Amino acid sequence: MIPFSDEELLEPVQASIDVIRPMIEADGGGIELVEIKNGVVYVRLSGHCVGCAASNTTLKMGVERQIRNDIHPELVVENITNQK
């Protein structure tokens, strides 16, 4: 169980995303924190990340790993697409 409320996670999660953002942008991508709900961090990948075969690896091995290392090992990151 994650010992933080979703509201308490907002600032530290944004700080973790800001750490990894330059690496994503260096490859022509982008990342935006959409929301945190029940300990799940929802982000939106953009730019070259959209449709890229490596975007799931970027999400899990880059973003999720950074957030887990910085904040809590049980946090999960999911990508929200623009499709409905």
Side-chain angles (χ1 to χ4, degrees):
M1 182 167 169
I2 299 169
F4 308 103
S5 70
D6 294 339
E7 293 78 26
E8 291 172 320
L9 289 169
L10 281 173
E11 191 172 318
V13 165
Q14 186 62 60
S16 287
I17 289 173
D18 289 344
V19 168
I20 199 155
R21 183 184 317 278
M23 291 173 262
I24 294 171
E25 289 176 347
D27 286 333
I31 185 168
E32 167 193 1
L33 174 60
V34 176
E35 70 176 329
I36 302 171
K37 190 170 185 176
N38 300 320
V40 178
V41 177
Y42 293 95
V43 299
R44 181 173 291 116
L45 295 175
S46 59
H48 289 157
C49 291
V50 176
C52 175
S55 64
N56 193 51
T57 301
T58 297
L59 189 70
K60 295 298 179 180
M61 299 305 293
V63 179
E64 188 172 271
R65 178 186 282 176
Q66 183 71 45
I67 289 172
R68 286 179 169 188
N69 285 340
D70 290 347
I71 304 165
H72 195 275
E74 293 179 26
L75 288 170
V76 176
V77 177
E78 295 291 331
N79 184 36
I80 299 290
T81 64
N82 289 330
Q83 298 174 347
K84 293 185 179 187

PDB file of all heavy atoms in Angstrom, residues 16-46:
ATOM      1  N   SER A  16       9.955  14.210 -10.348  1.00  0.00           N
ATOM      2  CA  SER A  16      10.578  13.041 -10.985  1.00  0.00           C
ATOM      3  C   SER A  16      10.437  13.098 -12.496  1.00  0.00           C
ATOM      4  O   SER A  16      11.377  12.766 -13.230  1.00  0.00           O
ATOM      5  CB  SER A  16       9.948  11.747 -10.466  1.00  0.00           C
ATOM      6  OG  SER A  16      10.356  11.480  -9.161  1.00  0.00           O
ATOM      7  N   ILE A  17       9.265  13.498 -12.968  1.00  0.00           N
ATOM      8  CA  ILE A  17       9.055  13.631 -14.408  1.00  0.00           C
ATOM      9  C   ILE A  17       9.996  14.696 -14.969  1.00  0.00           C
ATOM     10  O   ILE A  17      10.562  14.524 -16.053  1.00  0.00           O
ATOM     11  CB  ILE A  17       7.577  13.946 -14.711  1.00  0.00           C
ATOM     12  CG1 ILE A  17       6.727  12.702 -14.434  1.00  0.00           C
ATOM     13  CG2 ILE A  17       7.399  14.426 -16.149  1.00  0.00           C
ATOM     14  CD1 ILE A  17       5.235  12.915 -14.534  1.00  0.00           C
ATOM     15  N   ASP A  18      10.179  15.777 -14.229  1.00  0.00           N
ATOM     16  CA  ASP A  18      11.080  16.837 -14.688  1.00  0.00           C
ATOM     17  C   ASP A  18      12.515  16.354 -14.814  1.00  0.00           C
ATOM     18  O   ASP A  18      13.272  16.859 -15.643  1.00  0.00           O
ATOM     19  CB  ASP A  18      10.999  18.045 -13.754  1.00  0.00           C
ATOM     20  CG  ASP A  18       9.678  18.791 -13.883  1.00  0.00           C
ATOM     21  OD1 ASP A  18       8.952  18.588 -14.881  1.00  0.00           O
ATOM     22  OD2 ASP A  18       9.361  19.577 -12.961  1.00  0.00           O
ATOM     23  N   VAL A  19      12.913  15.354 -14.010  1.00  0.00           N
ATOM     24  CA  VAL A  19      14.265  14.787 -14.109  1.00  0.00           C
ATOM     25  C   VAL A  19      14.437  14.041 -15.426  1.00  0.00           C
ATOM     26  O   VAL A  19      15.470  14.154 -16.093  1.00  0.00           O
ATOM     27  CB  VAL A  19      14.553  13.844 -12.905  1.00  0.00           C
ATOM     28  CG1 VAL A  19      15.804  13.022 -13.131  1.00  0.00           C
ATOM     29  CG2 VAL A  19      14.664  14.652 -11.617  1.00  0.00           C
ATOM     30  N   ILE A  20      13.430  13.278 -15.807  1.00  0.00           N
ATOM     31  CA  ILE A  20      13.556  12.441 -17.008  1.00  0.00           C
ATOM     32  C   ILE A  20      13.121  13.154 -18.287  1.00  0.00           C
ATOM     33  O   ILE A  20      13.460  12.737 -19.394  1.00  0.00           O
ATOM     34  CB  ILE A  20      12.797  11.108 -16.822  1.00  0.00           C
ATOM     35  CG1 ILE A  20      13.304  10.085 -17.824  1.00  0.00           C
ATOM     36  CG2 ILE A  20      11.314  11.291 -16.909  1.00  0.00           C
ATOM     37  CD1 ILE A  20      13.122   8.678 -17.410  1.00  0.00           C
ATOM     38  N   ARG A  21      12.414  14.256 -18.150  1.00  0.00           N
ATOM     39  CA  ARG A  21      11.907  14.998 -19.315  1.00  0.00           C
ATOM     40  C   ARG A  21      12.992  15.326 -20.355  1.00  0.00           C
ATOM     41  O   ARG A  21      12.760  15.138 -21.556  1.00  0.00           O
ATOM     42  CB  ARG A  21      11.204  16.272 -18.861  1.00  0.00           C
ATOM     43  CG  ARG A  21      10.587  17.056 -19.998  1.00  0.00           C
ATOM     44  CD  ARG A  21       9.977  18.385 -19.546  1.00  0.00           C
ATOM     45  NE  ARG A  21       9.227  18.301 -18.312  1.00  0.00           N
ATOM     46  CZ  ARG A  21       7.967  17.880 -18.207  1.00  0.00           C
ATOM     47  NH1 ARG A  21       7.324  17.477 -19.288  1.00  0.00           N
ATOM     48  NH2 ARG A  21       7.353  17.856 -17.035  1.00  0.00           N
ATOM     49  N   PRO A  22      14.176  15.823 -19.970  1.00  0.00           N
ATOM     50  CA  PRO A  22      15.189  16.152 -20.987  1.00  0.00           C
ATOM     51  C   PRO A  22      15.588  14.967 -21.862  1.00  0.00           C
ATOM     52  O   PRO A  22      15.842  15.137 -23.057  1.00  0.00           O
ATOM     53  CB  PRO A  22      16.377  16.653 -20.168  1.00  0.00           C
ATOM     54  CG  PRO A  22      15.794  17.120 -18.881  1.00  0.00           C
ATOM     55  CD  PRO A  22      14.617  16.212 -18.629  1.00  0.00           C
ATOM     56  N   MET A  23      15.602  13.761 -21.306  1.00  0.00           N
ATOM     57  CA  MET A  23      15.946  12.574 -22.094  1.00  0.00           C
ATOM     58  C   MET A  23      14.855  12.276 -23.123  1.00  0.00           C
ATOM     59  O   MET A  23      15.148  11.895 -24.253  1.00  0.00           O
ATOM     60  CB  MET A  23      16.163  11.383 -21.170  1.00  0.00           C
ATOM     61  CG  MET A  23      17.420  11.506 -20.327  1.00  0.00           C
ATOM     62  SD  MET A  23      17.565  10.199 -19.109  1.00  0.00           S
ATOM     63  CE  MET A  23      16.933  11.068 -17.665  1.00  0.00           C
ATOM     64  N   ILE A  24      13.607  12.467 -22.727  1.00  0.00           N
ATOM     65  CA  ILE A  24      12.490  12.239 -23.645  1.00  0.00           C
ATOM     66  C   ILE A  24      12.494  13.304 -24.739  1.00  0.00           C
ATOM     67  O   ILE A  24      12.327  13.006 -25.923  1.00  0.00           O
ATOM     68  CB  ILE A  24      11.163  12.221 -22.868  1.00  0.00           C
ATOM     69  CG1 ILE A  24      11.123  11.001 -21.929  1.00  0.00           C
ATOM     70  CG2 ILE A  24       9.967  12.215 -23.817  1.00  0.00           C
ATOM     71  CD1 ILE A  24       9.975  10.983 -20.957  1.00  0.00           C
ATOM     72  N   GLU A  25      12.717  14.544 -24.344  1.00  0.00           N
ATOM     73  CA  GLU A  25      12.735  15.644 -25.310  1.00  0.00           C
ATOM     74  C   GLU A  25      13.920  15.542 -26.276  1.00  0.00           C
ATOM     75  O   GLU A  25      13.808  15.958 -27.428  1.00  0.00           O
ATOM     76  CB  GLU A  25      12.756  16.977 -24.576  1.00  0.00           C
ATOM     77  CG  GLU A  25      11.433  17.287 -23.902  1.00  0.00           C
ATOM     78  CD  GLU A  25      11.448  18.563 -23.087  1.00  0.00           C
ATOM     79  OE1 GLU A  25      12.539  19.120 -22.821  1.00  0.00           O
ATOM     80  OE2 GLU A  25      10.349  19.019 -22.706  1.00  0.00           O
ATOM     81  N   ALA A  26      15.024  14.967 -25.825  1.00  0.00           N
ATOM     82  CA  ALA A  26      16.196  14.809 -26.691  1.00  0.00           C
ATOM     83  C   ALA A  26      15.892  13.911 -27.890  1.00  0.00           C
ATOM     84  O   ALA A  26      16.526  14.041 -28.939  1.00  0.00           O
ATOM     85  CB  ALA A  26      17.372  14.247 -25.902  1.00  0.00           C
ATOM     86  N   ASP A  27      14.908  13.024 -27.730  1.00  0.00           N
ATOM     87  CA  ASP A  27      14.499  12.142 -28.822  1.00  0.00           C
ATOM     88  C   ASP A  27      13.262  12.659 -29.551  1.00  0.00           C
ATOM     89  O   ASP A  27      12.617  11.932 -30.302  1.00  0.00           O
ATOM     90  CB  ASP A  27      14.234  10.735 -28.293  1.00  0.00           C
ATOM     91  CG  ASP A  27      15.511   9.986 -27.964  1.00  0.00           C
ATOM     92  OD1 ASP A  27      16.550  10.288 -28.583  1.00  0.00           O
ATOM     93  OD2 ASP A  27      15.474   9.096 -27.100  1.00  0.00           O
ATOM     94  N   GLY A  28      12.889  13.907 -29.279  1.00  0.00           N
ATOM     95  CA  GLY A  28      11.759  14.513 -29.979  1.00  0.00           C
ATOM     96  C   GLY A  28      10.408  14.230 -29.346  1.00  0.00           C
ATOM     97  O   GLY A  28       9.372  14.495 -29.947  1.00  0.00           O
ATOM     98  N   GLY A  29      10.409  13.699 -28.137  1.00  0.00           N
ATOM     99  CA  GLY A  29       9.156  13.392 -27.459  1.00  0.00           C
ATOM    100  C   GLY A  29       8.810  14.420 -26.404  1.00  0.00           C
ATOM    101  O   GLY A  29       9.531  15.395 -26.192  1.00  0.00           O
ATOM    102  N   GLY A  30       7.708  14.172 -25.748  1.00  0.00           N
ATOM    103  CA  GLY A  30       7.270  15.027 -24.662  1.00  0.00           C
ATOM    104  C   GLY A  30       6.486  14.205 -23.660  1.00  0.00           C
ATOM    105  O   GLY A  30       6.033  13.097 -23.958  1.00  0.00           O
ATOM    106  N   ILE A  31       6.317  14.756 -22.451  1.00  0.00           N
ATOM    107  CA  ILE A  31       5.558  14.062 -21.417  1.00  0.00           C
ATOM    108  C   ILE A  31       4.832  15.095 -20.565  1.00  0.00           C
ATOM    109  O   ILE A  31       5.386  16.150 -20.261  1.00  0.00           O
ATOM    110  CB  ILE A  31       6.449  13.146 -20.552  1.00  0.00           C
ATOM    111  CG1 ILE A  31       5.611  12.345 -19.563  1.00  0.00           C
ATOM    112  CG2 ILE A  31       7.550  13.950 -19.874  1.00  0.00           C
ATOM    113  CD1 ILE A  31       6.379  11.220 -18.873  1.00  0.00           C
ATOM    114  N   GLU A  32       3.602  14.765 -20.212  1.00  0.00           N
ATOM    115  CA  GLU A  32       2.771  15.651 -19.394  1.00  0.00           C
ATOM    116  C   GLU A  32       2.113  14.813 -18.302  1.00  0.00           C
ATOM    117  O   GLU A  32       1.569  13.736 -18.576  1.00  0.00           O
ATOM    118  CB  GLU A  32       1.702  16.281 -20.290  1.00  0.00           C
ATOM    119  CG  GLU A  32       0.598  16.976 -19.562  1.00  0.00           C
ATOM    120  CD  GLU A  32      -0.593  17.302 -20.460  1.00  0.00           C
ATOM    121  OE1 GLU A  32      -0.567  16.975 -21.656  1.00  0.00           O
ATOM    122  OE2 GLU A  32      -1.551  17.876 -19.937  1.00  0.00           O
ATOM    123  N   LEU A  33       2.160  15.288 -17.074  1.00  0.00           N
ATOM    124  CA  LEU A  33       1.438  14.651 -15.976  1.00  0.00           C
ATOM    125  C   LEU A  33      -0.037  15.024 -16.117  1.00  0.00           C
ATOM    126  O   LEU A  33      -0.387  16.202 -16.123  1.00  0.00           O
ATOM    127  CB  LEU A  33       1.977  15.115 -14.628  1.00  0.00           C
ATOM    128  CG  LEU A  33       1.225  14.634 -13.387  1.00  0.00           C
ATOM    129  CD1 LEU A  33       1.232  13.107 -13.299  1.00  0.00           C
ATOM    130  CD2 LEU A  33       1.834  15.241 -12.139  1.00  0.00           C
ATOM    131  N   VAL A  34      -0.901  14.022 -16.248  1.00  0.00           N
ATOM    132  CA  VAL A  34      -2.326  14.257 -16.427  1.00  0.00           C
ATOM    133  C   VAL A  34      -3.032  14.239 -15.071  1.00  0.00           C
ATOM    134  O   VAL A  34      -3.728  15.177 -14.715  1.00  0.00           O
ATOM    135  CB  VAL A  34      -2.950  13.220 -17.382  1.00  0.00           C
ATOM    136  CG1 VAL A  34      -4.448  13.404 -17.485  1.00  0.00           C
ATOM    137  CG2 VAL A  34      -2.295  13.294 -18.750  1.00  0.00           C
ATOM    138  N   GLU A  35      -2.845  13.148 -14.316  1.00  0.00           N
ATOM    139  CA  GLU A  35      -3.451  13.040 -12.995  1.00  0.00           C
ATOM    140  C   GLU A  35      -2.849  11.858 -12.247  1.00  0.00           C
ATOM    141  O   GLU A  35      -2.154  11.028 -12.827  1.00  0.00           O
ATOM    142  CB  GLU A  35      -4.973  12.879 -13.085  1.00  0.00           C
ATOM    143  CG  GLU A  35      -5.429  11.540 -13.624  1.00  0.00           C
ATOM    144  CD  GLU A  35      -6.947  11.381 -13.615  1.00  0.00           C
ATOM    145  OE1 GLU A  35      -7.616  11.959 -12.733  1.00  0.00           O
ATOM    146  OE2 GLU A  35      -7.452  10.671 -14.492  1.00  0.00           O
ATOM    147  N   ILE A  36      -3.141  11.817 -10.972  1.00  0.00           N
ATOM    148  CA  ILE A  36      -2.794  10.670 -10.140  1.00  0.00           C
ATOM    149  C   ILE A  36      -4.083  10.222  -9.485  1.00  0.00           C
ATOM    150  O   ILE A  36      -4.789  11.022  -8.868  1.00  0.00           O
ATOM    151  CB  ILE A  36      -1.739  11.029  -9.077  1.00  0.00           C
ATOM    152  CG1 ILE A  36      -0.474  11.567  -9.747  1.00  0.00           C
ATOM    153  CG2 ILE A  36      -1.430   9.804  -8.205  1.00  0.00           C
ATOM    154  CD1 ILE A  36       0.545  12.142  -8.780  1.00  0.00           C
ATOM    155  N   LYS A  37      -4.403   8.952  -9.656  1.00  0.00           N
ATOM    156  CA  LYS A  37      -5.658   8.435  -9.124  1.00  0.00           C
ATOM    157  C   LYS A  37      -5.405   7.067  -8.512  1.00  0.00           C
ATOM    158  O   LYS A  37      -4.930   6.159  -9.199  1.00  0.00           O
ATOM    159  CB  LYS A  37      -6.701   8.346 -10.231  1.00  0.00           C
ATOM    160  CG  LYS A  37      -8.088   8.059  -9.747  1.00  0.00           C
ATOM    161  CD  LYS A  37      -9.076   8.243 -10.871  1.00  0.00           C
ATOM    162  CE  LYS A  37     -10.480   8.079 -10.326  1.00  0.00           C
ATOM    163  NZ  LYS A  37     -11.472   8.331 -11.360  1.00  0.00           N
ATOM    164  N   ASN A  38      -5.682   6.945  -7.231  1.00  0.00           N
ATOM    165  CA  ASN A  38      -5.486   5.688  -6.503  1.00  0.00           C
ATOM    166  C   ASN A  38      -4.062   5.160  -6.642  1.00  0.00           C
ATOM    167  O   ASN A  38      -3.849   3.962  -6.813  1.00  0.00           O
ATOM    168  CB  ASN A  38      -6.499   4.637  -6.948  1.00  0.00           C
ATOM    169  CG  ASN A  38      -7.922   5.066  -6.702  1.00  0.00           C
ATOM    170  OD1 ASN A  38      -8.230   5.662  -5.670  1.00  0.00           O
ATOM    171  ND2 ASN A  38      -8.798   4.795  -7.647  1.00  0.00           N
ATOM    172  N   GLY A  39      -3.106   6.053  -6.623  1.00  0.00           N
ATOM    173  CA  GLY A  39      -1.702   5.662  -6.695  1.00  0.00           C
ATOM    174  C   GLY A  39      -1.201   5.330  -8.087  1.00  0.00           C
ATOM    175  O   GLY A  39      -0.075   4.890  -8.247  1.00  0.00           O
ATOM    176  N   VAL A  40      -2.021   5.530  -9.097  1.00  0.00           N
ATOM    177  CA  VAL A  40      -1.599   5.314 -10.484  1.00  0.00           C
ATOM    178  C   VAL A  40      -1.336   6.688 -11.098  1.00  0.00           C
ATOM    179  O   VAL A  40      -2.179   7.578 -11.039  1.00  0.00           O
ATOM    180  CB  VAL A  40      -2.663   4.551 -11.303  1.00  0.00           C
ATOM    181  CG1 VAL A  40      -2.210   4.389 -12.749  1.00  0.00           C
ATOM    182  CG2 VAL A  40      -2.943   3.200 -10.672  1.00  0.00           C
ATOM    183  N   VAL A  41      -0.156   6.827 -11.673  1.00  0.00           N
ATOM    184  CA  VAL A  41       0.257   8.083 -12.290  1.00  0.00           C
ATOM    185  C   VAL A  41      -0.094   8.009 -13.777  1.00  0.00           C
ATOM    186  O   VAL A  41       0.396   7.133 -14.490  1.00  0.00           O
ATOM    187  CB  VAL A  41       1.775   8.310 -12.114  1.00  0.00           C
ATOM    188  CG1 VAL A  41       2.218   9.574 -12.824  1.00  0.00           C
ATOM    189  CG2 VAL A  41       2.141   8.332 -10.636  1.00  0.00           C
ATOM    190  N   TYR A  42      -0.950   8.910 -14.215  1.00  0.00           N
ATOM    191  CA  TYR A  42      -1.346   8.961 -15.622  1.00  0.00           C
ATOM    192  C   TYR A  42      -0.607  10.100 -16.305  1.00  0.00           C
ATOM    193  O   TYR A  42      -0.649  11.238 -15.842  1.00  0.00           O
ATOM    194  CB  TYR A  42      -2.857   9.167 -15.742  1.00  0.00           C
ATOM    195  CG  TYR A  42      -3.647   7.980 -15.230  1.00  0.00           C
ATOM    196  CD1 TYR A  42      -4.136   7.955 -13.931  1.00  0.00           C
ATOM    197  CD2 TYR A  42      -3.874   6.877 -16.045  1.00  0.00           C
ATOM    198  CE1 TYR A  42      -4.850   6.865 -13.451  1.00  0.00           C
ATOM    199  CE2 TYR A  42      -4.586   5.783 -15.577  1.00  0.00           C
ATOM    200  CZ  TYR A  42      -5.066   5.789 -14.283  1.00  0.00           C
ATOM    201  OH  TYR A  42      -5.773   4.697 -13.813  1.00  0.00           O
ATOM    202  N   VAL A  43       0.091   9.752 -17.375  1.00  0.00           N
ATOM    203  CA  VAL A  43       0.842  10.740 -18.142  1.00  0.00           C
ATOM    204  C   VAL A  43       0.381  10.679 -19.590  1.00  0.00           C
ATOM    205  O   VAL A  43      -0.260   9.712 -20.019  1.00  0.00           O
ATOM    206  CB  VAL A  43       2.369  10.508 -18.062  1.00  0.00           C
ATOM    207  CG1 VAL A  43       2.868  10.611 -16.635  1.00  0.00           C
ATOM    208  CG2 VAL A  43       2.773   9.183 -18.684  1.00  0.00           C
ATOM    209  N   ARG A  44       0.732  11.704 -20.347  1.00  0.00           N
ATOM    210  CA  ARG A  44       0.470  11.704 -21.784  1.00  0.00           C
ATOM    211  C   ARG A  44       1.800  11.908 -22.490  1.00  0.00           C
ATOM    212  O   ARG A  44       2.453  12.935 -22.321  1.00  0.00           O
ATOM    213  CB  ARG A  44      -0.501  12.810 -22.163  1.00  0.00           C
ATOM    214  CG  ARG A  44      -0.812  12.823 -23.663  1.00  0.00           C
ATOM    215  CD  ARG A  44      -1.908  13.811 -24.022  1.00  0.00           C
ATOM    216  NE  ARG A  44      -3.193  13.337 -23.485  1.00  0.00           N
ATOM    217  CZ  ARG A  44      -3.901  13.972 -22.548  1.00  0.00           C
ATOM    218  NH1 ARG A  44      -3.477  15.108 -22.040  1.00  0.00           N
ATOM    219  NH2 ARG A  44      -5.045  13.479 -22.114  1.00  0.00           N
ATOM    220  N   LEU A  45       2.211  10.902 -23.254  1.00  0.00           N
ATOM    221  CA  LEU A  45       3.408  11.027 -24.078  1.00  0.00           C
ATOM    222  C   LEU A  45       3.012  11.728 -25.369  1.00  0.00           C
ATOM    223  O   LEU A  45       1.929  11.495 -25.906  1.00  0.00           O
ATOM    224  CB  LEU A  45       4.007   9.653 -24.373  1.00  0.00           C
ATOM    225  CG  LEU A  45       4.543   8.883 -23.162  1.00  0.00           C
ATOM    226  CD1 LEU A  45       4.987   7.488 -23.580  1.00  0.00           C
ATOM    227  CD2 LEU A  45       5.672   9.627 -22.486  1.00  0.00           C
ATOM    228  N   SER A  46       3.898  12.575 -25.874  1.00  0.00           N
ATOM    229  CA  SER A  46       3.593  13.331 -27.086  1.00  0.00           C
ATOM    230  C   SER A  46       4.815  13.378 -27.998  1.00  0.00           C
ATOM    231  O   SER A  46       5.855  12.803 -27.696  1.00  0.00           O
ATOM    232  CB  SER A  46       3.143  14.749 -26.706  1.00  0.00           C
ATOM    233  OG  SER A  46       4.157  15.414 -25.982  1.00  0.00           O
TER     234      SER A  46
END
